[in-house]
Amino acid sequence: MADAASEDLLSAEELGHAWPALSMEERLEGFHGLVRGDADDFFLDLPAADQAELLVALPPEERRLWVRLLAPDDAVDVVQGLPEAERPRFLELLDPVSRREVSALLAYAEDAAGGLMSPRFARVRREMTADEAIRYLRRQAREQAETIYYAYVLDPEQRLEGVVSFRDLLTAAPERRVDEFMKRDVVSVPDTLDQEAVARLMAAEDVNALPVVDGQGRMQGIVTVDDVVDVVQQEATEDIQKLGGMEALDAPYLATGFVAMLKKRAGWLAVLFVSEMLTATAMSGFEEEIAKAVVLAVFVPLIISSGGNSGSQASTLVIRAMALGEVRLADALRVARRELLTGLSLGVILAAIGVVRIFVWQGLFGSYGPTTPLLAATVGVSVIGVVTWGTFAGSLMPILIRRMGFDPASASAPFIATLVDVSGVVIYFTTAKLILGIS
Amino acid sequence: MADAASEDLLSAEELGHAWPALSMEERLEGFHGLVRGDADDFFLDLPAADQAELLVALPPEERRLWVRLLAPDDAVDVVQGLPEAERPRFLELLDPVSRREVSALLAYAEDAAGGLMSPRFARVRREMTADEAIRYLRRQAREQAETIYYAYVLDPEQRLEGVVSFRDLLTAAPERRVDEFMKRDVVSVPDTLDQEAVARLMAAEDVNALPVVDGQGRMQGIVTVDDVVDVVQQEATEDIQKLGGMEALDAPYLATGFVAMLKKRAGWLAVLFVSEMLTATAMSGFEEEIAKAVVLAVFVPLIISSGGNSGSQASTLVIRAMALGEVRLADALRVARRELLTGLSLGVILAAIGVVRIFVWQGLFGSYGPTTPLLAATVGVSVIGVVTWGTFAGSLMPILIRRMGFDPASASAPFIATLVDVSGVVIYFTTAKLILGIS
């Protein structure tokens, strides 16, 4: 057949879906099979880590072409994805202006405003008229400013004096001076601000771009709202993975290798497993009681899991509320009071269900004999205690962890469950001892 | 003091932070205490639910003023937050044009593209020159188009023919016709598309606005990237709360009332509690074995929690990967194979830790007597079985739940833990029976 070769070629869309599962050789083949226009779009749409991998794999003479396609802030992400040794070689491929910009951006932490911003913002002078400003921005539009829809007014020391939207310029009388109608109280962010805080501020201020300034108040770049969508998505993914009791992955699920995946998951599981061993130690101390009333052992999973579940709820709620800035460290007392009461109410509801279950089973099958009321009391009181404690501990643990300077999302559901399991065993058997009067 | 009254007044920022904790009376007082310009911004920055509450509480003669501040898509959100009976009265406050727009938008589901879009998009005609188009857009800028930075080219039937960015118009030669340089292959979304899918598409396409079309291909409005930030944030919050084993809240944590909070949490907890009762039933079947070797009971929490934890990891990972579109239903087999292998590896690692622990305790304290090797074998084999099963079940449950047409995020960590607890008890005691040869 004449078109046997072309039948083998994947479209950009097919290649995109197959990408994570392909070997680098197959990726290169697929990429080279795309027509030029599609290849451009395909390359620009790849995540930075994949762009970096692909660039390293490409023949050296093809690299410059692709590198120069990237905007400086995207180029920075790619460089950060390269092995240390490859970076200088890669920077040399850039034109001198971009190289300077990229090198400057590389000095910032990846997850700070400085690492997120583009240095190519549009600027106007305060004494320009609206008409002059529009003409000036028109020129900047050709020279690759990230967005011309916001123009910043800077003084000679590059300090931010105001901002005008392109729309303001269009609707203003052509001969009015920029400083007559520019917005002066501009919200800006320091270049060291964490990207999560940048995202929160942008959502709260409802703007499409935020200027970034250095320690001396000089404007360095802008963060635009489309960068922030990625940040919000990525931070939520990291939090969710941590909440599941593991380290956050660096790549999509199906694109993460088997060994890398194992490493991210085994560490936390091992820590939890070792901690959970304390339940065995705690229960060993009650072996005598168990021997006397084996039925006690039967309710252990029920009791401790009720604490774990209510604790998971509480910690998850508080962690998310903290990530959204709804709950701060100063709110700890309010959260504690609230969750104590909630935990108590939830405990009473679950205890009631548990007590009914025991009496019903006794009625139907005679499962528990004459000590049924005492057993029911033990289970009921324990559930109230364990759920109240689990909810309380689950809600305060993220706040405590944040206060110690760590990420509150580490107070994952499995972490809280493990913590509560150990104390749950102690609460349960101590209650049993008191109520059943064993030993 | 002369300024005793003004000392009582809160700034907009103070009011914003105190807001969730205030009674409606205090809110009204604080709101009326703001100077007019601040009050505008403050009102526009409130979440839609709070805007609705505030509007209902305001004296009727003040309402029109605030209602008319809202853009039509925001007004829709507010109306949806009002009690059914209040809605017609509220719609009457709008000017006739806005009322028509808002009523049309109200017909869409809140979480569909149609519910998210603004009907006020900028349009140009294909035969206009670049210069004419700019002048035309300048007029639309004054008339409250949501954004003029993208202008849509429609045919007489309102079908989308192309799009030009304002930037394209600025850089084009003034006398060129729009249809000479407009982008023709425009990505648009149907008005019924789910907002999560809209957000994903927007991130993938890297555009700042997406046109929304109806079933006949007629353009209805645009969704802009700043709407999508909220969607991404909100969907992640809902998923995280479900992953914590509860229903998603409708409001921020501290703004949710005690009873509403209890309702969202007690339901799932009760379901989990009742399911977990199966562990008691399962363990009852092994009471004889426990009576003969009480030490078996001691390891129950350790064994079952190792399954719950590994299952939580797996389900959380898969749920998030599905939400991001990285894993589809068609990938089920690949996920299953992968997780089976991962589960087995994790199980072996944890089993090794468990076996070492038992021998060390025996060496140090003589805890387990002559059956130590058999006990170690029981625990080791059970952990491998439970972790492999937990990981496998945890990864497939979200896919199954999605296939049944429900939200995969319901396969929360507590849900998976409960599921695995019950099977864990059976796996553990069956292994014990086989290895220890009891009964």
Side-chain angles (χ1 to χ4, degrees):
Chain A
M1 310 270 196
D3 55 0
S6 75
E7 264 177 34
D8 276 0
L9 291 181
L10 297 173
S11 73
E13 201 187 340
E14 289 163 344
L15 183 61
H17 190 218
W19 194 258
L22 297 180
S23 70
M24 185 45 76
E25 209 169 310
E26 291 166 326
R27 289 181 180 184
L28 275 179
E29 199 188 345
F31 184 64
H32 281 133
L34 297 175
V35 300
R36 179 56 209 267
D38 284 353
D40 284 14
D41 287 342
F42 184 82
F43 180 74
L44 290 175
D45 282 349
L46 280 180
D50 288 13
Q51 288 173 333
E53 270 182 29
L54 185 63
L55 280 172
V56 173
L58 280 171
E61 66 277 12
E62 287 183 35
R63 288 182 192 160
R64 179 196 307 261
L65 180 77
W66 300 107
V67 165
R68 296 207 172 180
L69 263 185
L70 296 166
D73 47 338
D74 296 330
V76 169
D77 294 339
V78 172
V79 174
Q80 278 161 339
L82 290 171
E84 199 75 54
E86 295 277 350
R87 294 185 186 178
R89 193 144 34 109
F90 176 91
L91 285 172
E92 273 165 37
L93 298 174
L94 294 166
D95 63 276
V97 174
S98 303
R99 196 184 312 144
R100 246 193 337 271
E101 288 173 343
V102 170
S103 303
L105 291 178
L106 275 173
Y108 291 105
E110 218 174 320
D111 56 356
L116 199 63
M117 73 187 182
S118 161
R120 296 187 172 167
F121 55 92
R123 52 194 94 194
V124 293
R125 287 194 306 277
R126 56 184 304 156
E127 66 276 11
M128 284 176 167
T129 64
D131 219 39
E132 284 169 343
I134 290 176
R135 279 206 306 276
Y136 188 57
L137 285 174
R138 239 168 138 144
R139 268 217 313 278
Q140 293 179 53
R142 282 189 212 97
E143 288 154 11
Q144 299 282 321
E146 172 94 358
T147 172
I148 54 158
Y149 303 140
Y150 290 87
Y152 297 89
V153 186
L154 305 184
D155 75 6
E157 275 79 46
Q158 305 292 309
R159 272 190 294 263
L160 194 56
E161 293 188 309
V163 65
V164 282
S165 73
F166 203 88
R167 186 174 190 141
D168 296 336
L169 291 172
L170 284 174
T171 50
E175 67 291 343
R176 280 190 78 195
R177 273 169 58 120
V178 165
D179 54 8
E180 291 177 56
F181 61 91
M182 71 184 184
K183 190 167 168 288
R184 285 167 200 274
D185 52 338
V186 189
V187 178
S188 65
V189 295
D191 49 11
T192 50
L193 191 69
D194 180 78
Q195 62 178 3
E196 260 188 286
V198 176
R200 269 210 302 277
L201 188 65
M202 196 168 258
E205 293 290 323
D206 223 353
V207 291
N208 288 313
L210 275 178
V212 180
V213 298
D214 69 9
Q216 279 74 50
R218 289 179 306 230
M219 182 154 171
Q220 300 293 311
I222 49 169
V223 177
T224 48
V225 69
D226 51 307
D227 301 323
V228 162
V229 174
D230 296 338
V231 169
V232 167
Q233 195 78 272
Q234 174 196 334
E235 297 281 350
T237 300
E238 283 177 14
D239 277 3
I240 286 175
Q241 289 171 346
K242 286 183 192 157
L243 286 170
M246 55 177 301
E247 288 174 53
L249 298 183
D250 308 315
Y253 173 80
L254 287 175
T256 304
F258 183 74
V259 176
M261 178 69 91
L262 215 54
K263 275 194 196 152
K264 296 283 185 189
R265 290 161 74 167
W268 260 109
L269 276 191
V271 169
L272 294 171
F273 191 75
V274 170
S275 316
E276 186 82 21
M277 281 175 178
L278 289 173
T279 56
T281 310
M283 277 184 75
S284 294
F286 297 101
E287 269 190 53
E288 224 176 292
E289 285 76 19
I290 300 175
K292 282 191 202 149
V294 170
V295 71
L296 280 183
V298 162
F299 287 98
V300 166
L302 180 64
I303 307 281
I304 63 177
S305 76
S306 64
N309 290 341
S310 50
S312 300
Q313 276 192 347
S315 71
T316 304
L317 268 176
V318 172
I319 289 169
R320 186 57 181 169
M322 289 174 84
L324 295 176
E326 293 167 8
V327 165
R328 303 162 199 212
L329 286 181
D331 298 316
L333 205 71
R334 210 163 132 203
V335 171
R337 209 173 334 131
R338 195 189 159 99
E339 288 297 318
L340 204 57
L341 216 63
T342 309
L344 195 63
S345 315
L346 292 171
V348 170
I349 295 173
L350 296 189
I353 300 176
V355 167
V356 168
R357 151 71 162 72
I358 290 177
F359 279 110
V360 169
W361 253 240
Q362 170 62 17
L364 292 176
F365 319 111
S367 311
Y368 311 114
T371 54
T372 302
L374 289 183
L375 180 68
T378 303
V379 169
V381 171
S382 306
V383 167
I384 295 179
V386 167
V387 171
T388 308
W389 162 242
T391 307
F392 183 71
S395 65
L396 282 192
M397 198 50 67
I399 300 181
L400 253 161
I401 291 180
R402 160 78 65 88
R403 189 157 282 171
M404 294 189 300
F406 299 107
D407 183 348
S410 316
S412 60
F415 174 81
I416 297 292
T418 301
L419 181 84
V420 176
D421 279 358
V422 179
S423 29
V425 165
V426 177
I427 293 176
Y428 175 49
F429 283 105
T430 310
T431 310
K433 246 172 142 166
L434 291 174
I435 293 188
L436 294 178
I438 314 172
S439 90
Chain B
M1 309 268 192
D3 54 2
S6 75
E7 263 176 34
D8 276 0
L9 291 179
L10 296 172
S11 73
E13 201 186 339
E14 288 163 343
L15 183 61
H17 190 216
W19 195 259
L22 295 181
S23 70
M24 187 45 78
E25 208 169 308
E26 291 166 326
R27 289 181 179 184
L28 275 179
E29 197 187 345
F31 184 64
H32 282 133
L34 297 175
V35 299
R36 178 61 208 266
D38 285 353
D40 285 13
D41 288 342
F42 183 83
F43 180 74
L44 290 175
D45 282 349
L46 279 180
D50 287 13
Q51 289 173 333
E53 270 182 27
L54 186 62
L55 281 171
V56 174
L58 279 171
E61 66 276 14
E62 285 182 38
R63 289 182 193 160
R64 179 197 305 262
L65 180 76
W66 298 108
V67 164
R68 296 210 171 177
L69 262 185
L70 296 166
D73 48 340
D74 296 329
V76 169
D77 295 338
V78 172
V79 174
Q80 278 161 340
L82 288 173
E84 200 75 55
E86 296 278 348
R87 294 185 185 178
R89 190 142 37 107
F90 176 91
L91 284 172
E92 273 165 36
L93 298 174
L94 293 166
D95 63 274
V97 175
S98 302
R99 195 182 315 143
R100 241 189 345 266
E101 287 172 343
V102 170
S103 303
L105 290 178
L106 274 173
Y108 291 105
E110 217 175 321
D111 55 356
L116 198 63
M117 74 187 181
S118 161
R120 296 188 173 168
F121 55 92
R123 53 194 95 195
V124 292
R125 286 194 305 278
R126 57 184 304 157
E127 67 276 11
M128 284 177 167
T129 65
D131 221 38
E132 284 168 345
I134 290 176
R135 279 206 305 275
Y136 188 57
L137 286 174
R138 240 168 137 144
R139 266 215 316 276
Q140 294 179 54
R142 280 188 214 100
E143 289 155 13
Q144 298 284 323
E146 172 93 357
T147 173
I148 53 157
Y149 303 140
Y150 290 87
Y152 297 90
V153 187
L154 304 184
D155 73 8
E157 276 80 45
Q158 304 294 309
R159 270 190 295 266
L160 193 56
E161 294 189 306
V163 64
V164 281
S165 73
F166 203 87
R167 187 176 189 138
D168 297 335
L169 291 172
L170 284 174
T171 51
E175 68 289 345
R176 281 190 77 195
R177 273 168 60 120
V178 164
D179 56 7
E180 291 177 57
F181 60 92
M182 70 184 187
K183 191 169 166 290
R184 285 169 199 275
D185 52 338
V186 190
V187 178
S188 65
V189 295
D191 49 12
T192 51
L193 191 69
D194 181 76
Q195 62 178 3
E196 260 188 287
V198 176
R200 269 209 302 278
L201 187 65
M202 196 168 256
E205 293 290 322
D206 224 353
V207 291
N208 288 313
L210 276 178
V212 180
V213 298
D214 68 9
Q216 279 74 50
R218 289 179 304 232
M219 183 154 172
Q220 301 294 313
I222 50 168
V223 177
T224 48
V225 70
D226 50 306
D227 301 323
V228 161
V229 174
D230 296 338
V231 169
V232 167
Q233 197 77 273
Q234 176 196 333
E235 296 281 350
T237 300
E238 282 176 16
D239 277 4
I240 287 174
Q241 289 170 346
K242 286 183 191 158
L243 286 171
M246 55 177 301
E247 287 174 54
L249 298 184
D250 308 315
Y253 173 80
L254 287 176
T256 304
F258 183 75
V259 175
M261 179 69 91
L262 215 55
K263 274 194 197 152
K264 296 283 185 188
R265 288 161 75 168
W268 261 110
L269 275 190
V271 170
L272 294 172
F273 191 76
V274 170
S275 317
E276 187 82 22
M277 281 175 178
L278 289 173
T279 57
T281 310
M283 276 183 77
S284 294
F286 298 101
E287 268 190 57
E288 223 175 293
E289 284 76 18
I290 300 175
K292 284 192 199 149
V294 171
V295 70
L296 280 182
V298 163
F299 286 98
V300 166
L302 179 64
I303 306 280
I304 63 177
S305 76
S306 64
N309 291 341
S310 49
S312 301
Q313 277 193 346
S315 71
T316 305
L317 267 176
V318 171
I319 290 168
R320 186 60 181 166
M322 288 175 85
L324 294 177
E326 294 166 8
V327 165
R328 304 162 198 212
L329 286 181
D331 298 314
L333 205 71
R334 214 166 130 201
V335 170
R337 210 173 332 131
R338 196 188 157 99
E339 288 297 317
L340 204 58
L341 216 63
T342 309
L344 195 63
S345 315
L346 292 171
V348 170
I349 296 172
L350 296 188
I353 300 176
V355 168
V356 168
R357 151 70 163 73
I358 289 177
F359 280 108
V360 168
W361 253 240
Q362 171 62 14
L364 292 175
F365 318 111
S367 312
Y368 310 116
T371 54
T372 303
L374 288 182
L375 179 67
T378 303
V379 169
V381 171
S382 308
V383 167
I384 295 179
V386 168
V387 171
T388 307
W389 163 242
T391 308
F392 182 72
S395 65
L396 282 193
M397 198 49 69
I399 299 181
L400 253 160
I401 291 179
R402 160 78 65 89
R403 188 158 283 171
M404 293 188 303
F406 299 107
D407 182 349
S410 317
S412 61
F415 174 81
I416 297 292
T418 301
L419 181 83
V420 176
D421 279 359
V422 180
S423 28
V425 165
V426 177
I427 293 176
Y428 176 49
F429 282 106
T430 310
T431 310
K433 246 173 142 167
L434 291 174
I435 294 188
L436 294 178
I438 312 172
S439 86

